Amino acid sequence: MDIRVSGHQVETGEALQGHVENRLSSMAEKYFANAISAHATFGRGPHDSFTADIIAHVMHGVVLKGHGQSQDAHKALDEAADKIEKQLRRYKRRLNDRHHQTAHALKMEEAAYTVFEIPSYEEQDEDDDQLVGDSPVIIAETSADIPETSVSDAVMMMDLRNTSALLFKNSGTGRHNMVYRRHDGTIGWVEPKS
């Protein structure tokens, strides 16, 4: 597994890099023997604390994220790794039971964002009530894979990725759907009308 360590205003010495290697390697061996890569990023938090963010690509289409914060960089990493391990333990049985359905999870579609340009002041109509300064600039520079999966697996992927929403192609209907975490903690599901 390819493991990278980086720091934002934090020096990542050999001891910290070794700790990251040991912790992430043992986690990968325990849960995903063929994990692809992991990236641990350390930064400064409030009150002279350290933050640790882990992004692990364990298989095509499955990305795990964990965040930790502590007064010690090693403990911050352990906290982030513990969160990922807790998610993995929670879903390990489900992942094993659905191993035969991996073909659905591996089908991906690419979706790209578009950068929208705001018309300059000269291009605006005089009757237009909205000023250029009132329009937010919309910029997006990344593309995303859209998994083809069931609704329950999409909820699992959203939790594993530690995101608040996931756009996916429903393997049952072939249509694009979205699941999201509501403010009260429940899961919402958006399905287009037929």
Side-chain angles (χ1 to χ4, degrees):
M1 177 167 85
D2 178 36
I3 298 175
R4 293 181 299 155
V5 180
S6 61
H8 294 287
Q9 301 176 352
V10 172
E11 185 65 34
T12 58
E14 287 183 28
L16 184 58
Q17 290 180 10
H19 183 66
V20 171
E21 287 269 341
N22 292 338
R23 183 65 196 262
L24 297 183
S25 295
S26 66
M27 188 170 51
E29 288 173 14
K30 185 175 181 179
Y31 294 103
F32 291 101
N34 299 325
I36 300 170
S37 67
H39 186 191
T41 306
F42 293 91
R44 289 281 181 194
H47 309 292
D48 291 329
S49 66
F50 293 93
T51 62
D53 292 296
I54 301 171
I55 299 174
H57 299 270
V58 293
M59 58 195 279
H60 188 68
V62 178
V63 178
L64 305 175
K65 295 180 182 179
H67 174 78
Q69 183 174 338
S70 178
Q71 296 298 345
D72 180 54
H74 294 262
K75 289 180 182 178
L77 174 80
D78 289 337
E79 184 180 321
D82 287 345
K83 288 179 182 178
I84 289 176
E85 281 190 300
K86 182 179 178 183
Q87 292 172 342
L88 287 172
R89 278 192 304 273
R90 182 177 172 194
Y91 290 109
K92 184 177 180 185
R93 184 181 315 126
R94 187 169 180 191
L95 289 171
N96 288 334
D97 291 344
R98 298 192 178 255
H99 186 264
H100 66 277
Q101 294 181 356
T102 348
H104 291 297
L106 295 179
K107 292 181 184 175
M108 294 284 184
E109 243 181 59
E110 285 193 20
Y113 295 100
T114 305
V115 177
F116 296 96
E117 292 186 30
I118 296 178
S120 66
Y121 184 74
E122 295 82 27
E123 294 175 5
Q124 273 188 316
D125 295 335
E126 291 179 13
D127 297 333
D128 193 359
D129 291 338
Q130 189 177 16
L131 298 174
V132 173
D134 293 342
S135 300
V137 177
I138 301 171
I139 298 176
E141 300 177 15
T142 60
S143 61
D145 291 329
I146 300 174
E148 182 174 338
T149 187
S150 67
V151 177
S152 59
D153 284 348
V155 171
M156 178 183 66
M157 289 173 129
M158 180 181 69
D159 286 344
L160 288 173
R161 292 179 181 186
N162 198 20
T163 60
S164 58
L166 178 73
L167 178 68
F168 68 101
K169 189 171 183 180
N170 190 326
S171 59
T173 63
R175 301 184 70 162
H176 288 90
N177 290 192
M178 184 177 75
V179 290
Y180 62 96
R181 186 163 308 282
R182 297 166 49 108
H183 294 292
D184 61 0
T186 58
I187 302 295
W189 173 24
V190 178
E191 183 175 28
K193 290 184 180 180
S194 299

